[in-house]
Amino acid sequence: MNLDSVLFTKEVCPDSSGPEWRSLLSEYFGQSVYRDWFAQLKTKSFKNGVLSLCAPSLFVKDWIEKHYLDLVLSLLKRKFSQCVHILLIVEDEVSYGLEQQDQDEPLSLHQEYAAGTLRESQSTSQEFSLSGYALDPKLTFDNFIVGKPNEFAHAAARRVAECDDAIYNPLFLYGPVGHGKTHLMHSIAHHILERSQYKKRVLYLSAEKFMYDFVRSLRYKNVMAFKEHFRSVHVLIIDDVQFISGKDSTQEEFFHTFNALVDQKRQIIISADKSPTDLDLKERMKSRLSWGLVADLHPTTYELRLGILQSKAASLGISVDQKILDFLASKISSNVRELEGALLRVSAHGSLVGKTLTLTLVQEILKDVLRPYETELTVEFIQKKVAEFYNLKVSDLNSAKRLRNIVRPRQLAMYLAKQLTTASLPYIGKCFGGRDHTTVIHGISTIENLLQKDKVLQEDAALLRKTFER
């Protein structure tokens, strides 16, 4: 008998009559995290205070144990005193994918990994259905915090969501991980559905899911169902398209799907970590992705991060001292997810342990998160951040390439290295592919002159300086 029928019955937990642990985790972590990691867990048993859960793969088990298990246990202990320990078990991978699920029900993405070597005799005769990911109700335009780094992408997303015609096709959003691409795509989907009174068919999924659905359609010998499914939507939203880099067959099918939808004037929204021209895709695919509007999301500023923290705290109904919010906004600059995760961790610790949060305590709680930000500012670190900012590789900055889109970032990195570190000009030149110190001087001088009149470069330099703040 599983936990859904035992742990939360009135007999065991008088205050509850249903499987509230799922709704508790869904509410706390949000639909996106719950769907990706907790929804696929199966309850094995609950005995002597130990809740045993089955994970579909070792990867899922290890990820939950590393990132969520301690917090999940604290939440369950607080809500359900009978639960004193959680044990994660990995089921036999193939049997989990096939035997514990109805034959007509599609495998989840992680189950697809687990059952990757299905016997041909089993798979070819089975039917399968296709579906996208559920939308997170919390990811809407109303709670998207707008600042200089993302205002253009936000405006473009708004315009697409509010137009009945496919005005920019595709809308291509790109930027580093955790800077709001997924939030904007969910927001577009919610807005279109509401405006159409849910009459339009909106499909949101990752490029990885697209690939696995395509592979499964080949396996089940039902490619036509796949084609009809994807080409019948009004709005197709694909996240992390860089995943299909190097996967020629998937790129070919995506190319044809893209063309079919554009021909029908159906809206396509795509995200990636790089611009279309920098992706490792076939040239005609790059060309198609550049057809519409390309909008990038820059690294966040201190002011934007502070606004995000204040909004998140308000939405969760938690009270955190302003000094702590200021501290988090100035220290954690890598991405918004890590920033919000730090806020959740701090607030949960204060609530569960019952201690008043101080800056000293916050530093102790987040010591593993803050450690990467406490290293001395170096030329190498500046190179890494400048490369990320301009969607380049550090090797590009160090190379002999003279392309304008590489030369200017290289010179800016030299300028910042001289301004923000104690490194000598010869050492900076050495870090940039063994260049002579006179080349470094020329690069620095060029940037100093451009900063007097180039407003875009001024903003780039200011954003990068914020990224380096300790």
Side-chain angles (χ1 to χ4, degrees), residues 17-203:
S17 58
E20 288 192 5
W21 70 280
R22 292 189 180 276
S23 60
L24 178 67
L25 298 188
S26 175
E27 180 180 354
Y28 187 86
F29 290 104
Q31 281 293 318
S32 180
V33 171
Y34 175 79
R35 179 196 66 226
D36 289 345
W37 301 108
F38 301 115
Q40 59 193 307
L41 297 179
K42 303 291 183 180
T43 307
K44 186 172 181 63
S45 65
F46 179 70
K47 185 181 295 184
N48 299 326
V50 178
L51 169 60
S52 298
L53 300 173
C54 298
S57 68
L58 182 60
F59 170 75
V60 175
K61 172 182 177 291
D62 289 346
W63 185 275
I64 292 177
E65 285 181 339
K66 181 178 179 181
H67 294 87
Y68 298 113
L69 195 60
D70 290 343
L71 182 53
V72 168
L73 181 58
S74 296
L75 290 170
L76 292 184
K77 279 182 177 179
R78 187 180 181 194
K79 182 76 174 178
F80 309 107
S81 59
Q82 295 87 355
C83 186
V84 297
H85 185 66
I86 298 175
L87 178 63
L88 281 179
I89 303 168
V90 179
E91 281 275 38
D92 175 76
E93 293 183 337
V94 174
S95 66
Y96 185 91
L98 297 175
E99 296 172 11
Q100 295 192 9
Q101 190 162 349
D102 292 339
Q103 294 297 309
D104 291 334
E105 185 180 349
L107 302 178
S108 71
L109 182 59
H110 292 298
Q111 289 168 328
E112 185 68 24
Y113 284 135
T117 55
L118 300 178
R119 292 189 296 274
E120 192 67 25
S121 61
Q122 290 177 313
S123 62
T124 55
S125 63
Q126 293 178 354
E127 294 294 329
F128 75 100
S129 60
L130 296 157
S131 62
Y133 294 152
L135 297 175
D136 190 333
K138 297 177 183 176
L139 301 182
T140 66
F141 284 124
D142 289 340
N143 54 31
F144 185 86
I145 307 302
V146 183
K148 273 196 170 297
N150 60 28
E151 61 182 356
F152 177 67
H154 172 263
R158 273 281 194 185
R159 185 71 183 278
V160 166
E162 291 170 356
C163 286
D164 293 324
D165 299 324
I167 183 170
Y168 304 123
N169 217 4
L171 171 62
F172 190 100
L173 304 171
Y174 77 94
V177 172
H179 281 68
K181 302 186 299 294
T182 299
H183 192 146
L184 284 178
M185 290 193 294
H186 279 249
S187 300
I188 293 171
H190 281 303
H191 199 80
I192 290 175
L193 287 170
E194 290 169 5
R195 285 186 70 248
S196 69
Q197 298 181 337
Y198 295 87
K199 292 178 182 177
K200 283 193 174 181
R201 187 168 178 232
V202 179
L203 182 61

Side-chain angles (χ1 to χ4, degrees), residues 91-335:
E91 281 275 38
D92 175 76
E93 293 183 337
V94 174
S95 66
Y96 185 91
L98 297 175
E99 296 172 11
Q100 295 192 9
Q101 190 162 349
D102 292 339
Q103 294 297 309
D104 291 334
E105 185 180 349
L107 302 178
S108 71
L109 182 59
H110 292 298
Q111 289 168 328
E112 185 68 24
Y113 284 135
T117 55
L118 300 178
R119 292 189 296 274
E120 192 67 25
S121 61
Q122 290 177 313
S123 62
T124 55
S125 63
Q126 293 178 354
E127 294 294 329
F128 75 100
S129 60
L130 296 157
S131 62
Y133 294 152
L135 297 175
D136 190 333
K138 297 177 183 176
L139 301 182
T140 66
F141 284 124
D142 289 340
N143 54 31
F144 185 86
I145 307 302
V146 183
K148 273 196 170 297
N150 60 28
E151 61 182 356
F152 177 67
H154 172 263
R158 273 281 194 185
R159 185 71 183 278
V160 166
E162 291 170 356
C163 286
D164 293 324
D165 299 324
I167 183 170
Y168 304 123
N169 217 4
L171 171 62
F172 190 100
L173 304 171
Y174 77 94
V177 172
H179 281 68
K181 302 186 299 294
T182 299
H183 192 146
L184 284 178
M185 290 193 294
H186 279 249
S187 300
I188 293 171
H190 281 303
H191 199 80
I192 290 175
L193 287 170
E194 290 169 5
R195 285 186 70 248
S196 69
Q197 298 181 337
Y198 295 87
K199 292 178 182 177
K200 283 193 174 181
R201 187 168 178 232
V202 179
L203 182 61
Y204 165 73
L205 72 163
S206 68
E208 185 179 30
K209 178 72 161 57
F210 180 92
M211 187 195 76
Y212 275 100
D213 281 344
F214 176 54
V215 170
R216 291 175 63 221
S217 75
L218 296 174
R219 180 187 301 160
Y220 294 137
K221 297 182 179 178
N222 205 348
V223 176
M224 287 309 299
F226 173 89
K227 291 179 181 291
E228 291 171 6
H229 174 76
F230 280 96
R231 299 179 192 189
S232 64
V233 301
H234 296 95
V235 181
L236 177 62
I237 306 175
I238 301 284
D239 206 352
D240 293 327
V241 78
Q242 72 273 2
F243 182 83
I244 64 173
S245 296
K247 300 174 176 64
D248 291 347
S249 296
T250 302
Q251 282 187 45
E252 186 72 18
E253 182 56 39
F254 184 72
F255 175 82
H256 293 303
T257 298
F258 182 100
N259 286 342
L261 290 174
V262 169
D263 288 344
Q264 298 176 67
K265 295 182 170 49
R266 305 292 176 85
Q267 181 67 57
I268 303 172
I269 299 110
I270 296 171
S271 83
D273 60 353
K274 300 176 183 176
S275 69
T277 55
D278 292 327
L279 291 171
D280 182 19
L281 300 174
K282 292 183 177 180
E283 286 304 317
R284 65 174 183 171
M285 193 69 250
K286 291 182 183 181
S287 174
R288 293 296 189 273
L289 295 178
S290 302
W291 269 4
L293 179 64
V294 177
D296 59 334
L297 293 94
H298 292 290
T300 56
T301 60
Y302 164 79
E303 292 78 12
L304 180 56
R305 293 193 296 273
L306 183 59
I308 290 169
L309 287 172
Q310 291 170 334
S311 175
K312 187 69 174 180
S315 68
L316 294 173
I318 58 178
S319 178
V320 181
D321 189 275
Q322 184 63 37
K323 289 182 179 179
I324 292 175
L325 296 181
D326 291 338
F327 174 78
L328 295 178
S330 64
K331 286 291 184 181
I332 302 176
S333 59
S334 60
N335 66 66

